[in-house]
Amino acid sequence: MAIAVALLLAPHLVYPLFLINILCFILFASALNLVLGYAGLLSLGHAAFFGGAAYVTAHAAKVWEMPFEVAVLLGTAFAGLLGLVFGLIGIRRYGIYFAMITLALAQMIYFLAVQMPFTGGEDGIQAVPRGTFLGIVDLNDIAAMYYVVLGATVAGILFLWRTLHSPFGHILAAIRENEPRAISLGLDVARYKLIAFVLSATLSGLAGSLKVIAFQLASLSNVSWHLSGEVVLMTLIGGMGTFVGPIIGSAFVVTLEHMLATSGLPISLVVGVIFMGCVMLFRRGVYGETRARLKAIVERDRA
Amino acid sequence: MPEIFGVPVVVLLGQILLGLINGSFYAVLSLGLAIIFGMLNIINFAHGALYMMGAFVTWLCLSQLGLNYWAALVVVPLVVGAFGIVIERLFLRHLYRIDHLYSLLFTFGLALALEGLFRYIFGAAGKPYPVPQELTGVFKLGFMILPIYRAWVIVAAVTVCVAVWLVIEKTKLGAWLRAATENPSLVTAFGINVPLMLTLTYGFCVGLAGFAGVLAAPIYQVSPGMGSNLIIIVFAVVVIGGLGSIGGAILTGLGLGVIEGLTKVFYPSASTIVVFLVMVLVLLLRPSGLFGKEN
C-alpha cells in the first residue's frame, strides 16, 4: 500500500524522466532475470532486444506516424521475434557458449544498426514523437508518461510473477537445478528454455520501446554490449534468481549512474569495479545475500 | 588485367592479404582464449581489454619513456603478463571451483573497468603510433604493393602461433599442461605445482594479448575501444572453431580474416557482420564448432 502511494506520488517529488528510466530498467532487468536467474542461461546479448525494439518503435512512431500503442507493440513484437531467432540458434549450447553466442549475435545487430539507413547511424533516431495514450492522454505531459510507463512496468512484472509461479516456472527451476533429470522426466528442455528466452526478449523489448518514447531518442548505446553487461550487473547486484533482486539492482545502478554522470567520474570504470566486487564478494546479490543471512539466523534460532 | 567474378585479381589478393592481417590478430587472441579455457576453465572476457592495454603501453613506452618499437615488443608482453598474473593470483583463482559464468562475469567487469580507466585518462580519441623505421616502405610484388609492416605482422603472428602450438603439442612442458587439463590432481601427485602452472599460463596468454597489442599499435589507432570491438569478433571465432583445439583456433582465426577480406571485395557492407553470419551457419550445421568436442 505504502509502495503504491509512493509510486503514484513520486513524479511530483522527483524528476519524472529519471523515474521512467528506473522503471524501464526494472522491467528490463526482471525480464533478463527470467532467463539468467530462473532458467540458468547467461545472455550477454539482451541489449539487442532492448535496442532493437527501441529502433523499431522510434521508426514506427516517427516515420510511419503510428500511434503510441501500435508503435510500442510493434517494437515489442520485433524483440520477441528476434528473441526467437537468437534462441533457435543458441539454445542448445550451454553456459559460456550460450553467453558468447548471444553476445556475438547482439553485436551483429549493433553493426546492422550502425549501417542501416533507417537507424540514422551515429545520430540515431531523434525527436521521436510521444503521441497520446489511447488517443486521449497527451504523453507530452511528463507525469502522464510516467503513469503509462508505471502501468506497463507493473503489468510486465505481474506477468513475470504469474509465469514464475505457474507450472511452467517450476519446470524452469527444475531445468536449472538438474537438467539431465528434467530430460529424463520427459520434459522437452530446449523448448521450455526457448519459451523463457522469447518471453524475456519480448519484455526487454517492451522496456526498450517505452524508454525510446519517453526519451524521444533511439541511439546506438541502446544496442551496445555495454548495456547488455549493465543489465546483467543490475540483476547480479540485486540477486539473480530472486524476484525482488533485479528491481533493487536496477534502481541502484540507474541512480548510481545518474549521480556519476554529473560527477565527472568514468561510469564504466565504476560499473566494472562494482561488477568485479559483486562476483568476488556477494554473488547472491544484495537481496539474495540478505535473505540467505536472515534465513540462517531464523534457522539457528529454531534449532 | 585478369579478373575473377568481375573483380581484378589485384584487388582480390590485396583484400586477402588485409584479411590475413586481421586474421593474425584473431588467431593470436583466440589461441590465448583457447589455452586459458583449456587450462583454467574460464572464458577471459578481458582478453580484448588486455590487448588494448598492450597497445597503450606500447604508445606510452614511446611517448613517455622513449622506448622504441623493438623494446616495446619485449617489454609490453612482460608488463601485460605481469598484470595478468596479479589478477589471477588476487581474483581468478578463487573462481575456478564455481560456475564458469562467474569468471566470465568477473572478466567482463574487468574489461569494462579497464576500458573506462583508459578512456578516463587518455580520452576516447585514437593515438597515432609511427611504423618503426626498419619496417617502413613497401614490397612491390608485381600484382600488388604490400607495406613491409603489414607483412611483418602476419609473419610475426603466425610464427608466434606456430611456436606456441609446437610447445604445447610437442614438448614435455606442453605435455604437463595438457595432462593438468585432463586431471589436475594426478599431475599434482607427480610433484608438479599445478596452481603455479595455472598462474603462469594465464600470465603467458595475457602476455600474448599484449604482444598482439604491440603489433596492432602502428596499424590501428590506439584507442580505449579497440579491444572490446575485437574481442566480440574473437568470441565468434572461438564459437566457430570450438574451444577444444589450439591448432583449430589458429586456423579459424586466419580463415575468418580471409573470409572477411573477401567479403569486403564482393559485398562491402556485409564485411562487419560476415563473421557472425558464419558463426550462425556453423552453429546450425555443426553445433560443437569446426574443431570442437561437445562437453
Side-chain angles (χ1 to χ4, degrees), chain A residues 15-270:
Chain A
Y15 185 50
L17 263 185
F18 169 66
L19 293 173
I20 290 175
N21 203 14
I22 291 185
L23 285 174
C24 291
F25 276 102
I26 285 178
L27 184 56
F28 190 15
S30 300
L32 175 78
N33 192 33
L34 177 64
V35 284
L36 178 58
Y38 291 96
L41 292 165
L42 171 58
S43 163
L44 284 179
H46 257 53
F49 310 132
F50 186 84
Y55 275 116
V56 170
T57 301
H59 188 74
K62 189 178 179 187
V63 182
W64 294 337
E65 297 177 348
M66 300 267 187
F68 165 78
E69 302 81 13
V70 181
V72 168
L73 271 181
L74 273 178
T76 310
F78 173 76
L81 208 64
L82 201 59
L84 182 66
V85 175
F86 278 30
L88 284 173
I89 294 168
I91 214 82
R92 279 167 210 282
R93 300 307 310 272
Y94 293 93
I96 43 163
Y97 274 101
F98 185 77
M100 289 194 285
I101 290 164
T102 47
L103 179 69
L105 290 173
Q107 190 70 358
M108 186 162 88
I109 301 295
Y110 177 85
F111 280 127
L112 287 175
V114 172
Q115 284 180 355
M116 281 165 73
F118 93 92
T119 57
E122 298 280 338
D123 298 332
I125 304 178
Q126 298 174 358
V128 178
R130 282 192 182 135
T132 56
F133 181 61
L134 299 174
I136 318 164
V137 186
D138 184 7
L139 292 177
N140 286 312
D141 173 8
I142 190 71
M145 187 78 230
Y146 167 81
Y147 289 120
V148 169
V149 174
L150 177 66
T153 305
V154 170
I157 299 277
L158 286 178
F159 175 76
L160 278 170
W161 173 265
R162 196 65 212 92
T163 307
L164 288 169
H165 291 83
S166 69
F168 173 74
H170 292 289
I171 290 173
L172 280 188
I175 294 172
R176 182 193 54 188
E177 294 306 325
N178 195 338
E179 183 159 339
R181 187 144 184 202
I183 295 171
S184 74
L185 285 170
L187 296 171
D188 187 350
V189 168
R191 209 181 105 234
Y192 284 108
K193 283 194 199 167
L194 184 62
I195 295 172
F197 194 73
V198 173
L199 282 179
S200 168
T202 311
L203 287 175
S204 306
L206 177 60
S209 298
L210 292 171
K211 185 171 178 231
V212 79
I213 294 284
F215 284 79
Q216 301 185 286
L217 170 72
S219 73
L220 286 175
S221 65
N222 289 335
V223 271
S224 83
W225 65 273
H226 296 90
L227 185 70
S228 297
E230 266 166 41
V231 72
V232 171
L233 174 66
M234 291 171 188
T235 313
L236 178 72
I237 205 171
M240 289 192 289
T242 66
F243 198 81
V244 185
I247 298 175
I248 299 176
S250 40
F252 172 75
V253 173
V254 173
T255 310
L256 181 77
E257 286 182 355
H258 185 76
M259 280 161 24
L260 285 175
T262 45
S263 75
L265 275 169
I267 292 176
S268 60
L269 174 62
V270 177

Side-chain angles (χ1 to χ4, degrees), chain B residues 54-78:
Chain B
F56 259 103
V57 176
T58 309
W59 176 76
L60 283 173
C61 274
L62 188 71
S63 61
Q64 302 297 318
L65 305 173
L67 283 176
N68 70 10
Y69 179 82
W70 303 103
L73 217 44
V74 180
V75 172
V76 172
L78 290 176

Side-chain angles (χ1 to χ4, degrees), chain B residues 1 19 55 70 116 149 151 203 216 247 270 275 281 292:
Chain B
M1 186 182 286
W70 303 103
Y149 187 77
V275 174
L281 208 66

